[in-house]
Amino acid sequence: EQLRAQTGNAALRCVHRLDRETSGCLLVARDRDAFDAAVAVFKTRRVVKIYNALVAGRMPNQTTTVDTPLDGQVARTHVRRLMANDDASLLHVRIETGRTHQIRLHLASIRHPVIGDRQHGVKASRDPRMLRVPRLMLHAAELEMDDPLGRETLRAHSPMPADFRRSLQIFGLGKP
């Protein structure tokens, strides 16, 4: 609603939605035709969606794939550890599917919940740093897809926001 008001375009529609506390790339269509064309590209599953996630604990493997079905539907999440210590890991996450809360559920299922996830993550912790994290530490860093209008590949990148970088510092994974 806010973007519609700012642009004066009541036809704007989100194609690529994020959970409320997730930061990063969004795809917004200017009109119904653009929306329908973009949705058709998403249905091909040829859209590359890359996220950064700060999770609890040291992810033991450099890479892993979680393919546990969600709500009876195929769901596949590819995970690569970027940095880690005993308390937390920074991950590069690529999802092939886009199920509701997929990344959060898959990472929690392998005992590395997203830090700040009050719904699917750590419910209680003796670690006071958990209270200093302002939100879900999940960031949609990149989005790449075929142009729905057939011109070329569309690429979007969103730099890591300040609160995410501060949370990396809190857990000893960022520069002071």
Side-chain angles (χ1 to χ4, degrees):
E1 294 300 317
Q2 186 176 5
L3 189 56
R4 287 183 187 128
Q6 287 176 352
T7 62
N9 183 347
L12 290 179
R13 295 182 68 185
C14 274
V15 178
H16 176 248
R17 296 186 316 270
L18 300 175
D19 293 342
R20 180 175 297 275
E21 292 187 340
T22 302
S23 57
C25 296
L26 287 174
L27 180 61
V28 179
R30 291 182 188 179
D31 57 42
R32 181 65 183 207
D33 290 341
F35 177 81
D36 291 342
V39 167
V41 173
F42 267 78
K43 286 182 179 177
T44 68
R45 289 195 182 160
R46 291 192 346 230
V47 177
V48 177
K49 296 173 272 187
I50 306 291
Y51 292 78
N52 295 122
L54 179 60
V55 300
R58 176 185 288 278
M59 179 72 89
N61 300 326
Q62 185 68 35
T63 62
T64 191
T65 296
V66 183
D67 57 5
T68 306
L70 297 173
D71 294 326
Q73 294 184 305
V74 172
R76 187 165 293 113
T77 304
H78 302 281
V79 180
R80 182 167 41 99
R81 185 184 67 217
L82 299 175
M83 291 189 287
N85 58 32
D86 288 341
D87 301 322
S89 299
L90 174 62
L91 307 178
H92 173 276
V93 180
R94 182 175 59 84
I95 57 174
E96 284 185 30
T97 51
R99 308 291 174 228
T100 301
H101 298 184
Q102 176 176 324
I103 295 171
R104 297 162 64 185
L105 290 166
H106 273 175
L107 293 174
S109 77
I110 61 170
R111 297 192 170 149
H112 293 285
V114 176
I115 291 175
D117 188 347
R118 312 292 191 252
Q119 186 174 0
H120 304 293
V122 177
K123 302 292 187 236
S125 175
R126 287 180 276 180
D127 188 338
R129 294 176 295 181
M130 291 290 184
L131 299 175
R132 294 175 55 200
V133 175
R135 65 171 177 88
L136 177 71
M137 288 294 105
L138 187 60
H139 176 70
E142 298 175 39
L143 181 65
E144 182 177 309
M145 64 186 277
D146 292 338
D147 184 337
L149 302 176
R151 294 185 187 127
E152 56 191 53
T153 302
L154 298 178
R155 289 182 184 90
H157 170 76
S158 176
M160 198 176 284
D163 63 345
F164 200 112
R165 291 191 314 271
R166 276 192 302 278
S167 294
L168 287 173
Q169 290 174 1
I170 288 169
F171 285 92
L173 294 173
K175 298 174 190 169

